[in-house]
Amino acid sequence: AQSVAQPEDQVNVAEGNPLTVKCTYSVSGNPYLFWYVQYPNRGLQFLLKYITGDNLVKGSYGFEAEFNKSQTSFHLKKPSALVSDSALYFCAVRAPSNYQLIWGAGTKLIIKP
Amino acid sequence: EADIYQTPRYLVIGTGKKITLECSQTMGHDKMYWYQQDPGMELHLIHYSYGVNSTEKGDLSSESTVSRIRTEHFPLTLESARPSHTSQYLCASSESFGLNYGYTFGSGTRLTVV
């Protein structure tokens, strides 16, 4: 069965420090992996994706994520956090044979000034 | 979030009323989805459609119904609203072909039933 785990409900980071939001997955075959961000009272916005190729993918707002096949992880990272990065972050996975995304439970990211 | 539109953005309605939440997309995507989400919580798939005249229930049981008569339109209806239906409803779409692979979301409808 396909699944996604975001082990941290909340991550707190001081502004200017690096941040990591963790995601691990379980899927048959080579996964398609995604990160989305949700600001209060809004829909989800696409941040970045891994389909194939380079394991390090870069996305919007300075975010990047590294696909690690052996650890089945796709952690979201940013070298220097901004207060405006505070939001809810969702990791999602899709098997190539399946159209539906499987979602993690979300991680609330709080950046303190 | 461009190209997929949800109306209304906010709705406060009395118990027992019938409501329809609208979702339209201009991207020609064949697949559409409805999610229910309590504030700050995880997403729950309640309905999806893989094309015109095709609808399926999602993982979370819901008293709502959907229809897909046109590719671009995927409305969600509650015949008799109850306070337990208070939540945010998110519509999304995706395509079977092309290089996107992911979903595009609308801005959501926040429903409050009093």
Side-chain angles (χ1 to χ4, degrees):
Chain A
Q2 300 175 84
S3 65
V4 177
Q6 293 182 242
E8 301 151 319
D9 291 336
Q10 183 169 308
V11 171
N12 298 298
V13 179
E15 187 176 28
N17 283 0
L19 69 88
T20 298
V21 183
K22 296 179 180 178
C23 173
T24 59
Y25 66 90
S26 174
V27 69
S28 300
N30 295 319
Y32 298 158
L33 295 155
F34 303 83
W35 277 101
Y36 286 78
V37 60
Q38 185 181 33
Y39 298 101
N41 297 315
R42 304 294 295 177
L44 276 69
Q45 296 177 30
F46 169 79
L47 269 182
L48 51 79
K49 66 184 177 189
Y50 172 83
I51 305 299
T52 187
D54 193 346
N55 289 344
L56 183 66
V57 293
K58 295 185 183 298
S60 306
Y61 311 121
F63 284 94
E64 58 188 28
E66 186 167 12
F67 169 58
N68 187 318
K69 189 171 184 178
S70 62
Q71 297 184 5
T72 62
S73 67
F74 190 56
H75 300 333
L76 181 70
K77 299 182 180 183
K78 187 173 182 180
S80 179
L82 300 172
V83 172
S84 58
D85 293 330
S86 299
L88 187 58
Y89 290 81
F90 288 95
C91 180
V93 67
R94 216 197 94 182
S97 59
N98 194 330
Y99 293 118
Q100 285 194 20
L101 291 183
I102 305 301
W103 297 90
T107 298
K108 186 175 183 180
L109 178 64
I110 298 176
I111 310 300
K112 299 181 178 179
Chain B
E1 300 92 50
D3 303 328
I4 182 164
Y5 307 99
Q6 290 188 243
T7 57
R9 288 280 284 121
Y10 300 93
L11 179 62
V12 180
I13 200 163
T15 298
K17 299 292 186 182
K18 177 180 178 179
I19 58 171
T20 296
L21 307 185
E22 300 288 347
C23 177
S24 295
Q25 49 98 3
T26 59
M27 299 169 285
H29 287 175
D30 54 337
K31 295 175 173 53
M32 297 188 74
Y33 312 85
W34 275 105
Y35 287 88
Q36 185 174 340
Q37 182 193 28
D38 291 332
M41 301 297 286
E42 60 191 301
L43 303 173
H44 295 286
L45 180 67
I46 51 176
H47 297 282
Y48 63 96
S49 167
Y50 282 176
V52 171
N53 295 324
S54 163
T55 62
E56 300 287 345
K57 289 186 180 295
D59 304 323
L60 181 68
S61 176
S62 174
E63 295 166 341
S64 58
T65 59
V66 292
S67 63
R68 189 93 181 274
I69 299 173
R70 304 196 314 268
T71 297
E72 63 271 22
H73 194 215
F74 191 41
L76 181 145
T77 299
L78 277 166
E79 291 292 333
S80 179
R82 295 210 302 262
S84 60
H85 296 139
T86 295
S87 189
Q88 175 163 252
Y89 293 84
L90 295 171
C91 181
S93 69
S94 67
E95 54 185 345
S96 297
F97 306 101
L99 300 178
N100 188 358
Y101 298 101
Y103 293 1
T104 301
F105 280 84
S107 295
T109 295
R110 182 170 294 282
L111 173 66
T112 303
V113 183
V114 298

